[in-house]
Amino acid sequence: MADVRPSTPIEFLKGVGPKRSDALVSELGLHTCMDLLLHLPFRYEDRSQFHRIVDIESEHVAVQIQGVITQANEFRGGKGSRLVAVFDDGEATIELQWFRGAQWILRNLPVQKQVVIYGKPKMYKGKWSLAHPEVELLSQFETRQGGGLQPVYPSTEKLSRQGLNSQGLAKLIRNVASEVSGVLTETLPARVLKEMHLVDRAAAFRHVHQPATAQEADAAMTRLRFEELFLLQMTLLQHKKKVTQDLPGVRFSEVGEAFHTFYDTQLPFELTEAQKRVLREIRADLNTGWHMNRLLQGDVGSGKTVVALLTALLAKDNGYQAAIMAPTEILAQQHLEGLRELLGDMPVRVELLTGSVKGSARATLLEDLESGAIDILVGTHALIEPKVIFARLGLAVIDEQHRFGVAQRAKLWKKAKVAPHILVMTATPIPRTLAMTAYGDLDTSVLDELPPGRKPIQTVHRTDASRLKVFQFLEDQIAEGRQIYLVYPLIEESATLDHKDLMDGYESIVRRFPVPNYQVAIVHGRMKADDKAWEMERFAKGQAQILVATTVIEVGVNVPNASVMVIESAERFGLSQLHQLRGRVGRGANQSYCILMSATELGQDARRRLETMCRTNDGFEIAEVDMELRGPGDVMGTQQSGVPDLKVADLVRDRPLLTSARYLAQTVLDEDPDLGRPDHLPLREALETALKARSNWVRIS
Ligand code: ADP
Ligand code: MG
């Protein structure tokens, strides 16, 4: 193997051959030597200690003993054959057993030779035995350098059959590591290595596969995880620079009439400090002459709407139109009403465009949009249809990004000669680590403060045993003039059953809260849009005291008088959904409550979700727990393939490393924006390779 390089295909390695290399591709996706090097152990076994048979105790997870196999016999039984061997360490003997592959193992078992065995001891009929132990010749064990910690690699049944179980992989990878470590160049800039106290790259690959000590393994792992996160952040920051600083944007230099009039005469409250800070961030972006690409995160009720409106007014003051896009018609409708109410009789024209706007109304609206008579157009996906032509679109606000695909956003860009500024607003708080990766090429602003005067929602967890008490509580709240949401899960896979639950629940509520004293509205997915709207209206106007619904109300219902959210089968909801639902109450002046109804028996994750909900109202904290429970991919949902595929690092575990990686990547880019310095050449090459290998590292194009 004279000239083995990281890029050398595995099939060219001595002793691998086409069959095994094919299996490595199909089973583990490993093509090159570099892939092998990046196939990291998932744990290490301490092989520095030897045990004596007489000392074996039940606490031993695994034991390692030196000695001789004195005899081995195959027993054929009903189900197949069994191999039993006797092992002698000079003081005592112990039985070794194999229940599979007896014949094959017997053929290769080194009987009457000095060996090292390793396995988990089991007590059977008062005697210790080892099932399926590892057996290695002592001479081999000793020549294996390091020897102390044995890496354990992920493998598969098929690979194991070809001799590439964990041990087989270890041997192969060890060889590759020693072959190529000489040509592995350092990718990280010297100052980064120094600042993070990282081992160099070649050493990291050697140590991670063959550590002398646990510390050495740790240090090597850390270095490799950091490297991956650092390259990812470099990629994202470079991309961010491309879509902001390198892409011209309309300059909104004026703060004019509309903004000032609204601020001075219409704004019914003082902005929170967070709102002021975010507005400053946005205004700074809009005045650079570059394109704004900003994510605004703010929990339900944090006051994103007014931020969006003030930004839209800035657009108007500079002679541009704004588009505000919502994921559903209900939400779009509410935005329209909310904006109109905030604007009062100011001469700012806000219109609504959804799929339901048809015929001549639509034609007129499109005309006025194209002539520039409309200042702010609120709508759904309908906004991005090709027929919708703006006179001068300068800003697009996208509400609830989670439901808006990336491709749709790209269509927006095409609606103006110069790409409109983009403000993405989400009420689903994104864990910081995800914001730094999945949205790493956006600037982020956070509304981390609720408007004053809100009483924190009280959340409790109850089971069916307390149902009567819960109903009594609802009755008391209604007597005080409050309104109640009662939400049932609706999961597509179990839609029919869920629908039945909802209807049963509705019936029992109607029985408990009968007409004419009470009115119960109901909204679910099988109703026609008109009927839904009518029922919602009854609730919104206060004619119905209770709204029974499936999760359709999750987005965009605003009834400030509603003070109780009851969630049935709460254990079936995800954390972010629970949090969103809870956000429907607590919007008025009254103390609000969230009651999580569940079965008595709960799985561990479900319990953790409900506990988290009862403990905190902080959406960011909830998002962190959600990510721990479900992993980053599921938190982002399938619509957004925004979670970068990472081979070594883990967004939950490696949070601190990620933060440092982002900071240092920014520092390096500040010093050398184009990475033109000779000492940054290896980094530049590493970035190119990484980007080729991981096409999903950048999501907006
Ligand atoms: P969200 O971030 O969920 O979209 P909204 O923009 O709908 O929140 O605001 C929630 C409520 O809080 C609205 O009734 C809004 O008028 C009110 N609000 C927003 N900002 C403030 C503020 N600074 N002070 C008082 N009330 C505010
Ligand atoms: Mg909102």
Side-chain angles (χ1 to χ4, degrees):
M1 285 200 273
D3 50 353
V4 175
R5 308 190 57 81
S7 59
T8 305
I10 296 170
E11 54 182 306
F12 297 152
L13 289 176
K14 209 173 71 191
V16 174
K19 211 168 149 198
R20 290 164 109 202
S21 70
D22 283 354
L24 284 168
V25 171
S26 65
E27 295 291 286
L28 297 174
L30 308 178
H31 298 264
T32 64
C33 286
M34 196 62 214
D35 293 341
L36 270 181
L37 290 184
L38 283 170
H39 189 63
L40 300 185
F42 61 91
R43 66 185 171 88
Y44 298 91
E45 282 169 354
D46 184 1
R47 304 294 290 269
S48 61
Q49 304 292 317
F50 283 96
H51 300 90
R52 299 160 64 197
I53 293 173
V54 292
D55 289 341
I56 294 178
E57 290 174 19
S58 49
E59 281 96 84
H60 288 137
V61 182
V63 291
Q64 172 166 274
I65 317 166
Q66 185 186 328
V68 177
I69 294 173
T70 52
Q71 51 166 300
N73 297 297
E74 193 187 344
F75 294 91
R76 288 176 192 274
K79 281 187 211 148
S81 68
R82 187 163 66 96
L83 176 65
V84 178
V86 177
F87 176 85
D88 187 337
D89 74 349
E91 287 178 325
T93 61
I94 189 173
E95 244 178 37
L96 314 181
Q97 307 189 358
W98 285 268
F99 304 100
R100 275 175 291 130
Q103 243 178 329
W104 189 83
I105 290 162
L106 182 59
R107 222 182 301 143
N108 295 287
L109 208 60
V111 180
Q112 299 300 353
K113 291 188 178 138
Q114 280 292 325
V115 292
V116 174
I117 61 166
Y118 181 84
K120 183 177 164 46
K122 244 182 23 199
M123 175 68 87
Y124 183 67
K125 288 192 178 160
K127 270 172 40 188
W128 288 109
S129 68
L130 298 183
H132 291 263
E134 284 174 27
V135 178
E136 193 176 13
L137 285 173
L138 179 65
S139 54
Q140 243 172 34
F141 180 87
E142 281 170 344
T143 52
R144 197 148 40 82
Q145 289 165 20
L149 283 184
Q150 173 111 340
V152 183
Y153 294 92
S155 180
T156 68
E157 191 76 38
K158 186 172 167 195
L159 282 169
S160 299
R161 266 185 270 128
Q162 308 202 11
L164 290 176
N165 59 3
S166 172
Q167 259 183 327
L169 281 169
K171 207 168 141 197
L172 179 63
I173 295 173
R174 210 156 52 227
N175 287 342
V176 170
S178 65
E179 290 280 341
V180 303
S181 78
V183 297
L184 285 177
T185 43
E186 182 53 71
T187 50
L188 296 177
R191 62 167 295 171
V192 172
L193 278 182
K194 200 166 146 233
E195 203 145 320
M196 295 297 297
H197 306 286
L198 299 172
V199 294
D200 72 66
R201 188 154 171 262
F205 277 117
R206 262 184 287 116
H207 293 169
V208 82
H209 294 296
Q210 211 172 339
T213 62
Q215 287 86 337
E216 204 172 82
D218 264 0
M221 268 305 179
T222 301
R223 142 82 211 206
L224 296 175
R225 287 173 184 153
F226 179 86
E227 176 175 352
E228 186 171 45
L229 294 170
F230 181 80
L231 293 181
L232 170 66
Q233 288 305 325
M234 288 294 297
T235 306
L236 290 169
L237 289 172
Q238 280 181 315
H239 188 72
K240 179 174 146 196
K241 187 167 161 293
K242 208 164 87 196
V243 296
T244 54
Q245 287 158 35
D246 295 351
L247 193 71
V250 194
R251 177 174 244 138
F252 293 173
S253 51
E254 293 288 312
V255 181
E257 172 100 31
F259 189 96
H260 281 308
T261 308
F262 177 77
Y263 207 98
D264 297 340
T265 68
Q266 291 295 323
L267 194 60
F269 39 69
E270 173 86 1
L271 292 183
T272 63
E273 284 310 311
Q275 283 169 321
K276 287 182 191 165
R277 185 189 63 235
V278 168
L279 269 170
R280 275 198 300 275
E281 289 165 352
I282 291 172
R283 278 173 60 179
D285 283 355
L286 296 178
N287 199 16
T288 55
W290 303 114
H291 174 68
M292 173 172 83
N293 211 359
R294 187 168 281 278
L295 173 71
L296 171 57
Q297 297 187 61
D299 223 330
V300 173
S302 58
K304 295 184 291 296
T305 312
V306 72
V307 172
L309 177 57
L310 280 162
T311 311
L313 293 177
L314 277 176
K316 178 173 165 60
D317 280 342
N318 289 272
Y320 285 87
Q321 294 164 296
I324 299 183
M325 294 208 290
T328 65
E329 292 209 6
I330 296 184
L331 195 59
Q333 177 73 37
Q334 266 177 15
H335 268 313
L336 176 81
E337 284 160 16
L339 294 178
R340 283 189 174 160
E341 193 182 316
L342 279 167
L343 285 164
D345 49 17
M346 274 183 65
V348 177
R349 189 162 159 206
V350 190
E351 296 292 345
L352 177 72
L353 180 66
T354 65
S356 318
V357 181
K358 295 201 173 95
S360 62
R362 190 182 189 86
T364 315
L365 194 140
L366 290 180
E367 251 169 55
D368 290 352
L369 189 67
E370 199 169 352
S371 75
I374 293 173
D375 299 303
I376 302 175
L377 184 65
V378 181
T380 52
H381 296 62
L383 283 193
I384 54 173
E385 283 165 15
K387 280 188 189 139
V388 181
I389 298 164
F390 291 80
R392 276 154 71 82
L393 180 63
L395 166 75
V397 179
I398 303 172
D399 199 0
E400 303 285 349
Q401 157 74 11
H402 277 67
R403 287 146 196 273
F404 232 102
V406 176
Q408 292 159 328
R409 184 165 9 151
K411 282 193 192 161
L412 258 175
W413 287 31
K414 306 206 177 93
K415 292 221 168 280
K417 278 189 211 76
V418 176
H421 296 297
I422 304 256
L423 181 65
V424 174
M425 304 199 298
T426 172
T428 312
I430 302 163
R432 251 174 68 74
T433 46
L434 269 187
M436 272 192 281
T437 49
Y439 289 97
D441 45 8
L442 272 70
D443 289 301
T444 40
S445 293
V446 180
L447 284 177
D448 50 7
E449 178 189 357
L450 290 184
R454 303 274 170 82
K455 298 193 183 81
I457 301 165
Q458 287 180 22
T459 303
V460 293
H461 173 205
R462 297 282 181 266
T463 60
D464 259 337
S466 321
R467 191 165 288 278
L468 291 182
K469 276 198 200 143
V470 169
F471 280 178
Q472 183 57 50
F473 177 74
L474 300 186
E475 191 182 322
D476 296 344
Q477 284 285 306
I478 294 171
E480 285 178 33
R482 301 289 86 75
Q483 287 168 279
I484 316 284
Y485 291 106
L486 223 131
V487 177
Y488 281 81
L490 181 76
I491 316 271
E492 249 164 66
E493 295 88 69
S494 55
T496 308
L497 269 180
D498 282 350
H499 187 72
K500 185 174 179 306
D501 281 354
L502 171 80
M503 296 321 272
D504 289 352
Y506 172 68
E507 266 173 37
S508 70
I509 287 290
V510 172
R511 243 180 284 128
R512 176 63 175 73
F513 296 95
V515 283
N517 290 342
Y518 300 97
Q519 296 289 332
V520 182
I522 180 164
V523 174
H524 60 78
R526 298 189 180 181
M527 288 164 70
K528 290 208 195 87
D530 288 356
D531 298 341
K532 260 194 250 181
W534 193 77
E535 289 285 287
M536 286 298 309
E537 190 82 2
R538 285 209 302 148
F539 187 69
K541 285 189 177 148
Q543 292 158 356
Q545 294 87 0
I546 302 177
L547 176 68
V548 176
T550 50
T551 42
V552 285
I553 62 160
E554 189 186 334
V555 167
V557 176
N558 191 15
V559 181
N561 189 49
S563 67
V564 186
M565 168 63 68
V566 183
I567 304 177
E568 296 286 346
S569 303
E571 72 271 30
R572 292 179 54 201
F573 288 86
L575 260 179
S576 72
Q577 242 183 338
L578 289 172
H579 180 62
Q580 290 282 318
L581 284 170
R582 179 167 61 182
R584 298 301 122 197
V585 296
R587 304 190 148 212
N590 305 297
Q591 174 62 53
S592 291
Y593 306 88
C594 176
I595 303 174
L596 305 170
M597 301 296 298
S598 86
T600 321
E601 298 273 312
L602 290 176
Q604 206 179 336
D605 283 6
R607 185 171 305 277
R608 176 105 190 269
R609 289 196 294 271
L610 300 187
E611 271 168 14
T612 304
M613 288 297 293
C614 293
R615 175 170 52 83
T616 181
N617 279 304
D618 181 342
F620 285 93
E621 199 176 328
I622 290 171
E624 295 287 347
V625 176
D626 196 25
M627 184 163 88
E628 271 175 48
L629 290 178
R630 293 196 294 154
D634 285 338
V635 169
M636 291 302 292
T638 44
Q639 277 186 38
Q640 305 280 130
S641 53
V643 179
D645 98 72
L646 295 169
K647 292 212 163 21
V648 189
D650 176 303
L651 292 181
V652 176
R653 180 195 56 210
D654 299 325
R655 205 175 302 174
L657 276 185
L658 177 63
T659 311
S660 308
R662 186 168 184 89
Y663 168 74
L664 286 168
Q666 187 64 63
T667 312
V668 169
L669 279 176
D670 287 346
E671 278 178 4
D672 184 15
D674 303 314
L675 299 181
R677 265 170 33 191
D679 60 318
H680 285 157
L681 181 66
L683 172 61
R684 227 167 62 210
E685 285 171 356
L687 283 169
E688 276 162 29
T689 316
L691 200 56
K692 254 185 251 155
R694 319 260 219 292
S695 51
N696 84 333
W697 272 13
V698 170
R699 50 195 284 280
I700 308 160
S701 49

